Amino acid sequence: MLFILITGLITACNSIKRVGENERLLVKNTIYVDSVRNTSEQIDNLLYQDPNKTMLGLPIRLYIYNLARPNIDSIIDARLNKSEKHRENLERFLSKKQLFQYIGYRKGLNSWLKTTGEAPTIVSEPRAIKSVKRLEDYYTNNGWFDVVASYDTIQKTKNKTEIEYHVNLGKAFKIDSLSSKIMSPTVDTIYNKFKNRSKIKIGERYTTNNFEAERDRITTSLRNNGVYQFSQDYVIFQVDTVGTNKKVNVEVQIKDYELRKQDSSYRVPFKVYKIKDVNIFTDTKIDNRNATITDSTTYNGYNLYGTEKIAFRPKALTDAIFIGPGRMYKDIDRTRTYNHLSGLKTFKYPDIKYVENPDTTLTANIHLTPLKKFNLGFSTEVSTSNIQVIGFSVSPSLLARNIFRGAETLELSGFASIGASDDAGDDKDVFFDINEIGADLKLTIPRLFFPIKTDSLIPKFMSPTTKVSLSIASQKNVGLDKRSLTGNLNYNWKPKPGITQSLDLFSAQYVRNLNPDNYFNVYSTSYNTLNDIAQDIGYESSDEDLSIPDGTTEFITEVLSDDPPNDISDDDIQTVNNIEERRIRLTENNLIVSSAYTFIKDNRRNISDESFYIFRFRLESAGNLMALGSNLANSTKNDDDRYELFNVAYSEYIKTEFDYTKHWDLGHENILAFRSFFGIAIPYGNSDNIPFSKSFFAGGANDNRAWTAYDLGPGSSQSNDDYNEANLKLALNIEHRFNVFEDLYGALFVDVGNIWNVLDNIDDDASTFDSFSSLKDTAIGTGFGLRYDFSFLVFRFDIGFKTYDPSYTEGDRWFKDYNFGNAVYNVGINYPF
């Protein structure tokens, strides 16, 4: 069987196996433009036939196709009927059913080989001629009117051929003058008002795309200034190149509006239209638009109708509609209305139609079809992890629309889970000894909910929204058994396409650790380090490990006292001190009251755009109002010289982040992706460190992939903590993505970065960022990966190698653990940046 398989593969690797005697396999296309080889994918895509796709230089799909038999039916019939009794013997040996299944399997496999593989690309003279014509058309449309193209076939072997295309451009034609001839005075006035925005520029090379863009611009400009009846067909460009020495004189011609009446037509000047009436049908039924109106009202000139009692406050709907009675017609108002109404997530896609009135006015009819008021959701999950043998969870959810008759959306979700830990099997323990419970509430209001009017600052075309969220959660036998309460008031708006701004006016987070004595059970690495020090100095008379929490507390207290154990070194004392400082910080309760502003610029034109950048800036400030209140109230400080609220010392810090991502489309499905990140959080006032939840970490599938999450840093410290974090982070990532085979893609990447402590209470030199010389402790990871594109998501697998590891001594950091044994294997969904 193995011999047959190997023989089949070797046979299939003959790329001309399915090429006829008088046919030639196309193995390469080359385009020369003015004798220079073309490297543009856009130009390559103009050709009507391409060579078979390759993977690592081999036409793998062609080889797969060659494994298929072109006449499988006749082959099977011939083998089954090679003698009178051969079929009967097979049926007797296999049974008719099994023989039928075998034949189906052979045919199915053959069909799969054909569809998975790729038929050989046979040189076609007609397609080559069509390719030449397309090349000439492309360059003509881009200003080279004298272009001449041709092709040559180069026979490499008997059945393999390359094609070379030669394009001679000549001199490009440039725009020399731009004039206009417009019949309607109204149109002429509007055109001249905005003609400085023309896409056709004097002195630039002629391109058909610029003329199409100018036609769109003129049409958009006129329709957004009241000319309702205007369309692109009325814009004509008269181009003159006769005797102009490679120059183009352009005249923009716009005729009057054409009116058709029976078998005749005549032209009249265009006019500016205004909106007379706006009718809003609040509960249109898709299957019955002629239902009887039973309820109606008027609000600010808008007419609202309902077949049942109108369920929405009029202002909630009119605020989402940009088409206003008495206003000049603007096409963009309809687009904005579509977007705003769809963004409410309360209606199906709205229907907006205009009706012309005899007096150059329009009636706008807006039909809304409400979605179901309530949506229920429910999910369950069975899981296992390193802390539980088995766990069960349920997550119910409720979505309520138009909850306060203002098109608001209320989402209420909850989760509850139970699990069995490793110790749950003991007789003294309950089997399901782990439990978590929590609830989330989120209210979305389709406007800025604020005491004063904000329309002049953030008008409604920016699609402002207000989100109020509240969540509560409780854990038992998970970590430190936390209880948390979080609330947030957020404003979000989009001032321009591609720009999003967000303001967390008020955000509060309260975290209470119910079981801080469990710290060393959770952070086992810290415990092991502490216990090893105790064992090394013979702290206990026996070989027993330190008990938790009594033994660890006792040992730490003695080591950090004025009279530490005799045999302990200064380095070990510092290590114990670091462990204790970290324990105190991670077990203390947190109260964070903050505000934050976020700015995002994303210049992607669509989801398939591969040349774009994304810039994100975030600034967060915590504790200012709390500190002001404490000072005004003359509050007293606790023993640690910190103000408290509800017996918890609140956090005070300022935090900022800069994140920049850039993609370059290199052509032929090659993408170069780059990301840079800088973040810093500075404690002050009531805090000398940053809460764990607000700190930075390094490593992981979306960061430096040569280290696991929380494993890298801080700085050059040889920290073995379970979760390494700090308050300064730098990161740079660059990745080359390329197609391997169909929907399979590969990647080569370099990840650079680390975290450090700065301006806080950490004084370990190895962990802190003192000056630019600390950049020598920046970690470098390199690696490669594979991605499979399922269209709705991308499955990602990356292997990262520690190329420069700052945890080693200087001079011994390069390629120290550069091998598969010490590599980090990452699995992720979608691209990391």
Side-chain angles (χ1 to χ4, degrees):
M1 185 65 183
L2 181 61
F3 174 77
I4 295 174
L5 179 61
I6 295 174
T7 302
L9 289 174
I10 292 174
T11 304
C13 289
N14 178 8
S15 58
I16 61 172
K17 181 178 180 180
R18 303 299 180 197
V19 178
E21 181 67 25
N22 298 318
E23 294 177 330
R24 292 169 293 165
L25 179 70
L26 178 62
V27 294
K28 187 178 181 181
N29 282 327
T30 309
I31 302 175
Y32 293 95
V33 181
D34 284 342
S35 301
V36 178
R37 183 174 179 177
N38 166 71
T39 57
S40 168
E41 183 180 13
Q42 183 180 11
I43 305 301
D44 287 341
N45 289 338
L46 296 174
L47 304 182
Y48 274 94
Q49 58 179 169
D50 296 312
N52 292 98
K53 294 180 180 179
T54 61
M55 182 175 69
L56 302 177
L58 298 175
I60 301 299
R61 291 191 63 197
L62 174 59
Y63 295 158
I64 294 174
Y65 182 89
N66 287 343
L67 288 171
R69 305 298 292 272
N71 52 344
I72 188 66
D73 291 337
S74 58
I75 291 174
I76 292 175
D77 287 340
R79 289 185 177 178
L80 289 177
N81 299 308
K82 64 181 181 180
S83 66
E84 293 182 1
K85 294 186 178 182
H86 186 66
R87 178 185 286 269
E88 294 180 7
N89 293 334
L90 286 174
E91 290 178 353
R92 189 180 301 111
F93 178 73
L94 296 175
S95 80
K96 285 187 177 181
K97 181 179 180 181
Q98 289 180 335
L99 181 60
F100 179 78
Q101 290 176 342
Y102 169 74
I103 294 172
Y105 165 76
R106 285 288 307 275
K107 291 182 178 180
L109 176 61
N110 201 75
S111 176
W112 180 85
L113 291 172
K114 283 186 175 182
T115 55
T116 304
E118 183 182 47
T121 300
I122 306 301
V123 172
S124 168
E125 298 287 343
R127 288 189 177 186
I129 294 171
K130 288 176 66 177
S131 296
V132 167
K133 179 64 168 59
R134 181 181 277 185
L135 286 168
E136 291 179 340
D137 290 344
Y138 172 83
Y139 283 104
T140 298
N141 289 333
N142 282 277
W144 287 279
F145 296 162
D146 298 329
V147 62
V148 176
S150 61
Y151 77 94
D152 294 321
T153 58
I154 303 173
Q155 190 163 336
K156 306 302 291 184
T157 63
K158 179 181 178 182
N159 293 98
K160 293 183 179 181
T161 295
E162 295 181 4
I163 299 181
E164 288 185 356
Y165 295 88
H166 298 272
V167 182
N168 297 311
L169 297 178
K171 186 177 179 180
F173 282 64
K174 294 184 178 180
I175 306 297
D176 187 54
S177 66
L178 178 63
S179 59
S180 62
K181 182 180 179 181
I182 301 173
M183 307 301 294
S184 297
T186 297
V187 173
D188 187 55
T189 300
I190 297 172
Y191 172 82
N192 283 295
K193 184 178 179 181
F194 299 104
K195 69 178 182 180
N196 62 322
R197 303 177 184 176
S198 175
K199 303 296 183 180
I200 303 173
K201 306 291 185 182
I202 294 176
E204 290 187 357
R205 175 169 48 84
Y206 171 98
T207 64
T208 301
N209 287 341
N210 285 347
F211 279 75
E212 293 175 353
E214 176 63 3
R215 182 179 282 109
D216 289 341
R217 186 198 67 82
I218 292 172
T219 303
T220 300
S221 177
L222 292 173
R223 289 183 63 83
N224 283 334
N225 283 274
V227 190
Y228 168 72
Q229 297 162 324
F230 197 84
S231 65
Q232 290 185 352
D233 298 337
Y234 289 98
V235 182
I236 299 173
F237 297 105
Q238 189 68 39
V239 177
D240 180 18
T241 60
V242 178
T244 59
N245 190 26
K246 310 294 183 183
K247 295 181 180 180
V248 181
N249 298 316
V250 181
E251 182 181 69
V252 180
Q253 299 179 357
I254 302 178
K255 296 183 179 181
D256 283 341
Y257 177 58
E258 184 178 13
L259 273 173
R260 295 186 177 274
K261 197 170 185 180
Q262 295 179 351
D263 295 333
S264 62
S265 65
Y266 59 97
R267 293 185 179 274
V268 297
F270 283 99
K271 296 180 180 179
V272 172
Y273 277 69
K274 288 189 175 182
I275 306 299
K276 182 178 183 180
D277 296 305
V278 180
N279 302 318
I280 306 171
F281 299 89
T282 62
D283 56 358
T284 300
K285 304 291 191 301
I286 295 179
D287 56 348
N288 186 10
R289 288 203 168 191
N290 298 319
T292 303
I293 299 298
T294 61
D295 190 16
S296 64
T297 187
T298 301
Y299 180 80
N300 283 351
Y302 292 88
N303 304 314
L304 287 84
Y305 302 98
T307 59
E308 300 174 356
K309 183 174 176 59
I310 297 175
F312 300 87
R313 291 199 312 272
K315 187 177 186 303
L317 297 182
T318 58
D319 280 354
I321 295 172
F322 293 82
I323 304 167
R327 300 178 189 172
M328 182 176 64
Y329 164 81
K330 292 184 178 181
D331 203 37
I332 194 173
D333 287 343
R334 174 159 56 176
T335 302
R336 287 173 172 171
T337 300
Y338 275 129
N339 294 338
H340 209 88
L341 287 171
S342 299
L344 296 179
K345 298 181 180 179
T346 302
F347 304 99
K348 296 181 179 179
Y349 196 73
D351 180 31
I352 303 175
K353 291 184 177 178
Y354 290 100
V355 178
E356 281 191 65
N357 301 316
D359 56 351
T360 66
T361 63
L362 299 170
T363 295
N365 294 320
I366 303 174
H367 293 270
L368 306 176
T369 304
L371 296 168
K372 291 181 180 180
K373 187 174 181 64
F374 297 103
N375 269 37
L376 292 173
F378 188 83
S379 64
T380 61
E381 184 178 306
V382 179
S383 61
T384 182
S385 70
N386 60 338
I387 65 169
Q388 64 180 11
V389 178
I390 190 170
F392 302 91
S393 64
V394 295
S395 300
S397 63
L398 171 66
L399 173 65
R401 298 182 177 90
N402 194 34
I403 190 70
F404 301 119
R405 300 186 66 239
E408 305 89 354
T409 302
L410 179 68
E411 298 176 64
L412 178 63
S413 60
F415 67 90
S417 66
I418 57 174
S421 70
D422 291 336
D423 299 328
D426 297 346
D427 294 336
K428 62 182 179 181
D429 294 322
V430 178
F431 182 68
F432 288 111
D433 58 335
I434 295 175
N435 67 70
E436 293 184 73
I437 189 169
D440 296 292
L441 183 147
K442 183 169 69 175
L443 175 66
T444 302
I445 304 171
R447 53 195 169 276
L448 291 188
F449 188 73
F450 204 70
I452 60 175
K453 282 193 173 184
T454 58
D455 292 348
S456 58
L457 182 63
I458 303 177
K460 67 179 183 180
F461 74 81
M462 295 183 182
S463 301
T465 58
T466 302
K467 292 183 179 180
V468 183
S469 61
L470 181 67
S471 64
I472 186 170
S474 176
Q475 300 174 333
K476 182 180 179 182
N477 287 341
V478 179
L480 303 180
D481 293 353
K482 292 182 179 180
R483 284 183 184 173
S484 62
L485 178 65
T486 304
N488 188 49
L489 173 61
N490 169 267
Y491 299 113
N492 191 85
W493 65 97
K494 299 178 179 180
K496 294 180 180 179
I499 294 179
T500 301
Q501 297 186 64
S502 178
L503 175 65
D504 291 321
L505 185 64
F506 175 82
S507 180
Q509 181 183 37
Y510 172 70
V511 178
R512 183 176 181 82
N513 296 301
L514 302 180
N515 189 14
D517 289 343
N518 197 41
Y519 176 83
F520 284 112
N521 286 319
V522 176
Y523 297 91
S524 57
T525 303
S526 295
Y527 170 77
N528 291 335
T529 302
L530 193 70
N531 189 61
D532 288 344
I533 294 174
Q535 295 285 350
D536 289 343
I537 65 172
Y539 176 70
E540 298 287 355
S541 57
S542 65
D543 292 332
E544 292 183 1
D545 293 333
L546 293 174
S547 62
I548 301 175
D550 295 338
T552 53
T553 301
E554 218 174 90
F555 179 63
I556 291 173
T557 302
E558 185 171 340
V559 169
L560 301 181
S561 68
D562 294 333
D563 185 24
N566 293 328
D567 296 333
I568 193 167
S569 66
D570 291 340
D571 288 342
D572 285 343
I573 292 176
Q574 182 61 48
T575 300
V576 173
N577 183 67
N578 292 341
I579 290 173
E580 176 63 3
E581 287 181 348
R582 181 177 172 82
R583 185 196 68 81
I584 292 173
R585 187 160 73 88
L586 298 187
T587 58
E588 70 177 356
N589 300 325
N590 292 132
L591 177 60
I592 304 171
V593 180
S594 64
S595 298
Y597 168 77
T598 304
F599 174 89
I600 300 175
K601 173 66 182 296
D602 185 344
N603 77 335
R604 277 179 293 192
R605 292 166 293 182
N606 50 60
I607 59 174
S608 60
D609 186 8
E610 290 294 354
S611 290
F612 65 90
Y613 71 85
I614 302 173
F615 172 74
R616 185 182 71 89
F617 165 74
R618 179 177 173 83
L619 179 65
E620 179 181 358
S621 177
N624 294 332
L625 292 177
M626 309 286 287
L628 179 62
S630 299
N631 290 325
L632 292 176
N634 291 320
S635 302
T636 59
K637 295 184 177 182
N638 62 16
D639 295 339
D640 296 324
D641 197 32
R642 301 177 68 185
Y643 291 114
E644 291 185 346
L645 183 65
F646 308 125
N647 296 321
V648 179
Y650 57 83
S651 298
E652 194 171 1
Y653 62 86
I654 187 167
K655 180 181 181 182
T656 187
E657 298 176 6
F658 295 87
D659 195 345
Y660 178 76
T661 300
K662 172 69 176 174
H663 284 204
W664 291 272
D665 189 347
L666 305 179
H668 302 283
E669 297 186 278
N670 282 263
I671 306 297
L672 185 65
F674 168 81
R675 178 179 64 182
S676 61
F677 177 89
F678 170 77
I680 186 172
I682 303 174
Y684 64 94
N686 208 49
S687 298
D688 55 10
N689 57 62
I690 301 299
F692 180 84
S693 61
K694 298 295 182 177
S695 298
F696 300 106
F697 71 92
N702 296 321
D703 193 68
N704 197 320
R705 285 160 280 187
W707 282 262
T708 58
Y710 293 97
D711 189 41
L712 175 59
S716 62
S717 63
Q718 298 179 357
S719 173
N720 290 318
D721 290 334
D722 299 85
Y723 301 97
N724 294 310
E725 40 77 39
N727 63 325
L728 171 66
K729 179 175 180 177
L730 291 172
L732 294 172
N733 309 81
I734 189 165
E735 180 172 286
H736 176 215
R737 301 165 185 167
F738 52 91
N739 182 257
V740 176
F741 178 75
E742 285 297 296
D743 294 325
L744 182 65
Y745 294 80
L748 301 173
F749 58 82
V750 179
D751 299 328
V752 181
N754 207 338
I755 55 173
W756 292 267
N757 289 96
V758 62
L759 302 175
D760 62 2
N761 61 345
I762 302 299
D763 54 10
D764 180 12
D765 292 339
S767 301
T768 56
F769 191 98
D770 300 319
S771 64
F772 285 110
S773 62
S774 297
L775 292 176
K776 69 179 182 299
D777 298 331
T778 303
I780 301 176
T782 57
F784 62 91
L786 294 174
R787 294 93 168 83
Y788 192 87
D789 190 348
F790 288 96
S791 73
F792 57 92
L793 62 83
V794 175
F795 177 81
R796 175 165 53 92
F797 175 72
D798 290 322
I799 303 177
F801 300 92
K802 296 177 177 62
T803 307
Y804 180 85
D805 190 344
S807 67
Y808 287 101
T809 57
E810 292 188 50
D812 196 28
R813 295 178 172 181
W814 286 100
F815 305 104
K816 183 68 175 179
D817 294 317
Y818 200 87
N819 52 65
F820 283 97
N822 290 293
V824 174
Y825 299 86
N826 300 278
V827 174
I829 300 297
N830 295 329
Y831 291 104
F833 54 91

